[in-house]
Amino acid sequence: MAVMADPEKLSSGVQSGRASTNGSLKIDKPNHWMYRSPKVGPFKLAWYASPISQLIVVSFVCFLCPGMFNALSGMGGGGQIDNDTVDKANTALYATFAVVGFFAGSITNKIGIKTALSFGGTGYCLYIASFLCFSHTMNRGFNIFAGAFLGVCAGILWSAQGAIMLSYPTEETKGRYISYFWIIFNLGAVIGGLVPLGENLHATGNTTVTDGTYIGFIVLTFCGAVLAWFLVDAKDVIRHDGSKVILMKNPTWQSELKGLLVTLKQDPWIILLFPMFWSSNWFYTYQFNDVNNAYFSTRTSALNSILYWICQILGAGSFGYALDIKAIGRPMKAKMAWVALFVLTMAIWGGGFVFQQRYTRETVDPNGPFVPMDWKTSGYIGPMFLYMFYGFYDAAWQTCVYWFMGALTNNGRKLANFAGFYKGIQSAGAAVIWSMDYHKVPFMHIFGSCWGLLAGSLLIALPTIMFKVRPTIPIEEDLKFSDESYDDVAPKNHHGTVNTTDHSTRYQEQYGHGYDDTKAI
């Protein structure tokens, strides 16, 4: 017989006349605008408080905030000719990001998704404003402060984003959710990259980007911070099978800080992924500053940046969909993803090694006779494709790392901590490499550190990928890390009863293998 849910929990806003059908399953939703499915012509859209709708909103927040940051960073030097200023600002950024990021999951779980994302967005606005200020005042101290403040903001923003992207979807749609986010997010960098390209279309040498470029980015990042307030609270999200996200109903600062230690105790295998976390942004400094900014003209750097982020979209789309192929079990997909990453690491970075032998830091000194490569220069096509492959590789790496984390748990609270670990450790590595670039470490040494870390971290992560990725995660295991009960999160039908007779197997089938939120869009 069906298990009755607590009637007090079902009485708030739930009316029997608002049953929703998903295949043969009927679920009840609260009688509220956010649970109504609008129709656009023949198409019925997902309700606003559904996982896919919320993912789209958070994707556009990141489109407007980190996306514009990436557009500017992708040109190298933060739009300035000299890398020293951005090196110092980004060292401060990633140093604070590393500290805050590690605890960001606890902060996000306590203050909530909307506050975390909006506060995070303000840091990007201030950071870009500091470079506009620098163009006129040469006030490097403001850049460093803005970088440090952005580190605090970004750590919290990315923890909230990771929690939404990994805990809202069902197990079988996590790959697509990651790819959808990465596609929309990187469209921000593509479209943002068109701004400096248009502003500097006739700059065949190296110049600082115009004030208009910075002002445009400032306005867009501010809009992103405001957009975050249009999200709904995680507790109000209902999946298309009627299930809810597993959270802490009554988080406290004590419970969330303690939760960090509990996360590591319950999932110690996550530690073997830490080197992959460390490596995941390490190569940005090399690619943006030591390839794109060092070797190419300003307008060509802008073009390269656009192509880089377009290939990120292709990489995320292809890997995201491949990781959701239903005919292949999750353990096998994890192993296949590892093999694909290893092959790409050897092939793409092997090509990068050949390219890096062309020049040194001394031969491309902007104060010397070096003439930067322009898109009209003979031989540009080869380096252009290499830079595009770098973008594809980055998206493949990030998509797989997120998917590996999502394959270890479905608990929203734990995934916020995982995302915090990821971004915190990632940023610690970035702080180190930006500092190395500031101290003028030879390009080939920086290149070698990128290739070696990527290959080595894959080998260290292999035991977790081989032995800890399971076909599904039992609901009882996810509930251990929250104060919610089975009845709080399990799917319910239009009679207010839990749609399962077996807590151990039936809900797993519905939660992990029976429903696809993305088909409702």
Side-chain angles (χ1 to χ4, degrees), residues 52 131 175 192 217 347 436 457 473 506 509 513 518:
I52 188 64
F131 282 95
F217 285 164
M436 289 172 60
S457 64
I473 306 297
R506 177 68 171 166
E509 292 171 3
H513 303 285
T518 61

Side-chain angles (χ1 to χ4, degrees), residues 354-366:
V354 174
F355 173 73
Q356 186 52 61
Q357 295 181 60
R358 293 186 179 187
Y359 67 98
T360 66
R361 193 179 289 275
E362 290 72 27
T363 61
V364 296
D365 187 342

Side-chain angles (χ1 to χ4, degrees), residues 75-86 131 134-135 205-209 214 289 293-294 296 298 364-367 440:
M75 293 187 63
Q80 303 291 320
I81 298 175
D82 187 1
N83 288 338
D84 285 358
T85 301
V86 75
F131 282 95
F134 182 81
S135 294
N206 273 345
T207 61
T208 298
V209 300
Y214 287 124
N289 276 11
N293 192 51
F296 299 97
T298 297
V364 296
D365 187 342
N367 297 317
K440 311 301 182 186

Side-chain angles (χ1 to χ4, degrees), residues 163-360:
I164 291 174
M165 185 175 69
L166 298 178
S167 67
Y168 283 17
T170 57
E171 286 183 345
E172 67 170 8
T173 59
K174 288 189 179 185
R176 271 169 286 175
Y177 270 61
I178 295 169
S179 68
Y180 293 158
F181 169 80
W182 218 251
I183 288 169
I184 296 172
F185 162 51
N186 283 319
L187 275 173
V190 172
I191 296 172
L194 293 172
V195 176
L197 178 61
E199 293 274 359
N200 300 279
L201 191 60
H202 302 293
T204 57
N206 273 345
T207 61
T208 298
V209 300
T210 64
D211 288 357
T213 300
Y214 287 124
I215 292 170
F217 285 164
I218 291 168
V219 172
L220 291 171
T221 51
F222 176 78
C223 291
V226 173
L227 180 62
W229 290 105
F230 288 83
L231 287 161
V232 304
D233 293 330
K235 63 182 176 61
D236 295 323
V237 173
I238 299 179
R239 300 189 181 96
H240 283 75
D241 62 355
S243 64
K244 291 191 171 186
V245 182
I246 300 174
L247 302 162
M248 281 286 283
K249 290 185 292 186
N250 300 296
T252 65
W253 288 112
Q254 182 179 4
S255 70
E256 295 314 305
L257 292 173
K258 183 180 178 182
L260 284 174
L261 299 177
V262 176
T263 297
L264 293 173
K265 183 178 179 180
Q266 289 185 357
D267 294 273
W269 288 76
I270 191 71
I271 295 173
L272 294 182
L273 296 182
F274 283 5
M276 288 189 76
F277 299 175
W278 178 276
S279 307
S280 59
N281 266 14
W282 184 273
F283 48 79
Y284 277 180
T285 307
Y286 171 73
Q287 291 170 355
F288 297 161
N289 276 11
D290 303 339
V291 176
N292 203 27
N293 192 51
Y295 199 75
F296 299 97
S297 66
T298 297
R299 68 176 188 175
T300 308
S301 293
L303 174 63
N304 289 346
S305 180
I306 293 171
L307 296 174
Y308 181 96
W309 299 116
I310 288 174
C311 285
Q312 288 247 3
I313 292 171
L314 299 176
S318 57
F319 270 77
Y321 271 83
L323 289 168
D324 277 349
I325 295 175
K326 295 181 180 180
I328 306 173
R330 284 209 305 180
M332 179 55 67
K333 285 187 288 192
K335 298 177 180 68
M336 293 172 67
W338 185 92
V339 172
L341 285 180
F342 193 82
V343 170
L344 287 174
T345 301
M346 294 298 107
I348 293 173
W349 288 89
F353 175 72
V354 174
F355 173 73
Q356 186 52 61
Q357 295 181 60
R358 293 186 179 187
Y359 67 98
T360 66

Side-chain angles (χ1 to χ4, degrees), residues 105-148:
S106 298
I107 298 170
T108 299
N109 288 333
K110 175 58 181 172
I111 68 176
I113 295 292
K114 291 190 290 188
T115 304
L117 284 165
S118 183
F119 173 72
T122 61
Y124 291 93
C125 187
L126 182 67
Y127 178 86
I128 295 173
S130 74
F131 282 95
L132 174 61
C133 175
F134 182 81
S135 294
H136 295 275
T137 68
M138 304 297 285
N139 184 355
R140 189 167 289 177
F142 184 28
N143 288 105
I144 295 172
F145 166 78

